[in-house]
Amino acid sequence: MKPYHVVWKGPIHNATGLGRASKAYARALKRQGVTIRIGASNHGRSPVSGKKVLIYHYLPSRIHMTKERSVYDPVILNTVWETSKTPKGWLANMNKFDAICVPSQHNKKALRNSGVTVPIFIAPHGVNTKEFHPNNKKLHVPNAAGKFTFVSVFGFQHRKNPEGLLRAYWEEFSSKDNVILVIKTNGYAAYENEKWIRQKISQYKKRLGIGKDTAPVVIIGRRLSESQLKGLYTLGDAFVLPTRGEGVGLPFLESLASGIPIIATGWGGQMDFLTTKNSFLIPYKLKNPSVSMNSQHAISRKFSNLFAQKGQQWAEPDLHSLRKIMRKAYEQPELCKQKGRQGRRDMTHLSWDRAGMRMKQAIEKVILAKKKGSG
């Protein structure tokens, strides 16, 4: 393989899951011996020999392909998607890339289902099991000590199904149960702060007509430090998220690495690594996102322009089953520990180095294919 270098354009400075993944991919490629620059080519720097490869980790609809093609060859998209089909506005641009990297089988299927014809490679997300591990000091949360603790981490949006989680918990547990639910969440605008999220949740509880005799819920709507986030996972006896769709689900990986089992919907990118041995899987039905978005239960940001297009589907988890599963986890803490130990073992095989190796292989296959095509 002749020398080449990669320019990575992606949200590596963002604190979001996407941003953290972008940074981890770029670092993983570097550890694989790939020469990589972030955000721009080597203009004004020491020259780098060989092909210039662009990996584009933003929305495919945003790329200026003619401009990028004048500088880079090949041009590869690294992307992720959560429903059964990508937004219609993405397709034309996606087929202009030389190849696409996605993190899960779920994503590959969604792209093919959307009409993508260029080569698709799977470069899975990873998790650092040295950073996320069962011995991390637990985050201190008032009144959580001695209680069975459900933990959840998600952005406050409809796809994550916050209303389903809250409703199942409120309806299943009362103040007589020695249990607590700790939710770490965030909004998507300045006004969507912790106070606003609490208010939305309080209003929803009133609307459901649920009384005061419910088990406690703690809402953390502020940003946590890395060590606090690690301690949030280990605080839990079980991680719960009845999500409607995930490209991967980074918190699932981090929770399992921390030895904490998962309660999650049995559909989405997480099914590449969630099993009945490390998780409790919630049954579901596939429906168009607009069904739940238009219901009286919707309490969070919808992003309907992306998710609710014609032909798209995602999972609607069965809330009665979720209630039964949460009760089972609560009543069988040893089973939770057993699944958590298995999850920890499973995650030791899912490193970011594996992700970097897969991406490097994809890059080199694309370079060789283009060479053969031009030859």
Side-chain angles (χ1 to χ4, degrees):
M1 174 65 64
K2 287 185 178 178
Y4 66 89
H5 74 276
V6 168
V7 171
W8 186 279
K9 293 190 178 182
I12 64 161
H13 300 298
N14 290 9
T16 60
L18 186 70
R20 289 166 65 211
S22 201
K23 187 187 291 182
Y25 273 124
R27 286 176 171 172
L29 273 179
K30 192 173 183 181
R31 288 196 300 275
Q32 292 298 316
V34 176
T35 302
I36 186 164
R37 298 195 192 275
I38 304 301
S41 190
N42 59 326
H43 179 68
R45 303 177 188 176
S46 55
V48 180
S49 61
K51 277 193 172 292
K52 294 178 184 175
V53 179
L54 173 63
I55 296 189
Y56 191 82
H57 197 199
Y58 290 113
L59 295 181
S61 52
R62 284 175 54 183
I63 193 166
H64 298 287
M65 189 60 81
T66 307
K67 180 184 168 192
E68 302 296 12
R69 283 255 178 240
S70 68
V71 181
Y72 306 102
D73 183 38
V75 178
I76 298 171
L77 174 66
N78 188 43
T79 195
V80 63
W81 191 245
E82 295 88 3
T83 72
S84 62
K85 275 178 122 174
T86 58
K88 287 187 175 63
W90 284 21
L91 181 60
N93 268 7
M94 284 198 292
N95 279 329
K96 290 176 184 172
F97 286 88
D98 293 297
I100 300 175
C101 288
V102 294
S104 66
Q105 293 287 346
H106 171 79
N107 283 170
K108 186 172 183 177
K109 189 176 174 184
L111 265 62
R112 288 287 181 235
N113 191 28
S114 305
V116 171
T117 54
V118 299
I120 300 173
F121 299 94
I122 294 178
H125 279 188
V127 63
N128 188 333
T129 52
K130 289 178 182 172
E131 286 188 11
F132 292 91
H133 58 79
N135 298 324
N136 280 327
K137 186 183 175 185
K138 294 181 181 183
L139 179 70
H140 173 70
V141 172
N143 305 317
K147 285 188 168 76
F148 186 96
T149 304
F150 290 106
V151 164
S152 198
V153 177
F154 57 87
F156 198 66
Q157 62 163 298
H158 190 72
R159 176 171 58 82
K160 302 290 185 175
N161 199 10
E163 70 279 11
L165 170 59
L166 290 161
R167 188 175 163 196
Y169 177 77
W170 285 328
E171 290 179 354
E172 186 58 38
F173 298 103
S174 74
S175 56
K176 295 184 183 71
D177 295 299
N178 189 35
V179 66
I180 192 168
L181 170 61
V182 180
I183 294 173
K184 163 67 185 84
T185 190
N186 60 273
Y188 295 88
Y191 68 86
E192 293 178 354
N193 54 23
E194 187 176 284
K195 183 181 177 183
W196 181 86
I197 292 168
R198 284 174 196 256
Q199 195 174 18
K200 283 280 181 185
I201 290 170
S202 175
Q203 287 167 350
Y204 180 54
K205 192 176 185 183
K206 282 179 190 167
R207 206 159 69 237
L208 289 174
I210 292 174
K212 291 181 180 177
D213 187 34
T214 53
V217 177
V218 174
I219 305 296
I220 301 172
R222 65 190 180 278
R223 189 170 167 187
L224 295 181
S225 67
E226 281 291 313
S227 62
Q228 286 174 320
L229 180 63
K230 290 167 193 167
L232 175 63
Y233 290 121
T234 52
L235 173 69
D237 293 288
F239 182 99
V240 57
L241 184 63
T243 178
R244 294 182 164 106
E246 297 293 328
V248 181
L250 206 51
F252 294 142
L253 290 162
E254 293 170 346
S255 183
L256 287 175
S258 305
I260 308 305
I262 304 297
I263 300 171
T265 315
W267 184 86
Q270 69 270 24
M271 294 311 295
D272 281 7
F273 55 88
L274 294 193
T275 70
T276 53
K277 291 186 177 178
N278 61 31
S279 304
F280 302 88
L281 300 174
I282 312 162
Y284 63 90
K285 287 181 180 172
L286 289 178
K287 293 185 180 176
N288 184 274
S290 61
V291 175
S292 57
M293 285 181 180
N294 294 329
S295 83
Q296 60 177 359
H297 295 286
I299 61 170
S300 54
R301 190 177 279 253
K302 296 174 183 175
F303 296 107
S304 54
N305 61 316
L306 291 174
F307 297 123
Q309 293 180 5
K310 189 179 177 183
Q312 285 181 319
Q313 288 187 309
W314 63 18
E316 284 297 336
D318 182 75
L319 293 193
H320 181 68
S321 299
L322 172 57
R323 285 179 60 174
K324 287 204 301 190
I325 290 168
M326 291 176 82
R327 174 64 63 178
K328 181 179 181 178
Y330 170 66
E331 290 180 349
Q332 298 185 44
E334 280 308 312
L335 177 60
C336 289
K337 286 175 183 166
Q338 182 185 319
K339 284 181 184 281
R341 285 193 293 271
Q342 183 61 49
R344 170 71 185 172
R345 285 194 292 271
D346 294 344
M347 292 306 101
T348 58
H349 305 294
L350 306 186
S351 68
W352 276 110
D353 283 338
R354 167 175 166 260
M357 182 182 69
R358 293 274 189 89
M359 192 168 273
K360 182 184 179 184
Q361 288 169 349
I363 293 166
E364 294 181 357
K365 280 180 184 175
V366 174
I367 291 172
L368 287 172
K370 291 209 80 174
K371 186 181 176 184
K372 283 178 188 172
S374 61

